[in-house]
Amino acid sequence: IRKVLEVCRKTMAGTDQTLPGKEANLFKQIVKFYETKQYKKGLKAADQVLKKYPEHGETLAMKGLTLNCLERKEEAYDL
């Protein structure tokens, strides 16, 4: 997961992808939910961030990983 996030950061270099406080905390929760296999909670948190910041690359990546773990691969690919 750290590798994926690192690639996202490098890909998004030069664009402002910094989240404000509330959403940054939500993103940290998304990662924790993923690491503890609480995928539904992670998906819900990702949707909250993406509602305000639909182009946030790292959140999109985490949502894709989470959907993949929930066997919702087609949805993950569509991101």
Side-chain angles (χ1 to χ4, degrees):
I1 186 169
R2 302 284 179 219
K3 272 257 197 241
V4 171
L5 294 175
E6 184 179 321
V7 170
C8 286
R9 284 186 189 110
K10 287 179 183 176
T11 302
M12 301 308 289
T15 61
D16 186 15
Q17 288 287 303
T18 305
L19 292 171
K22 179 182 176 185
E23 286 77 16
N25 286 333
L26 271 173
F27 182 79
K28 289 176 187 174
Q29 286 183 326
I30 295 166
V31 174
K32 276 196 188 298
F33 288 141
Y34 180 83
E35 291 173 340
T36 59
K37 300 183 181 183
Q38 297 180 63
Y39 303 124
K40 289 182 182 180
K41 288 181 181 181
L43 194 56
K44 185 176 178 182
D47 286 337
Q48 284 181 273
V49 173
L50 292 171
K51 186 183 290 185
K52 287 181 99 173
Y53 300 93
E55 300 297 319
H56 187 254
E58 292 172 311
T59 303
L60 287 167
M62 288 304 302
K63 182 174 180 177
L65 287 170
T66 302
L67 286 168
N68 187 55
C69 290
L70 289 169
E71 299 298 323
R72 293 165 60 181
K73 295 181 188 326
E74 287 301 317
E75 283 179 77
Y77 297 146
D78 289 341
L79 292 176

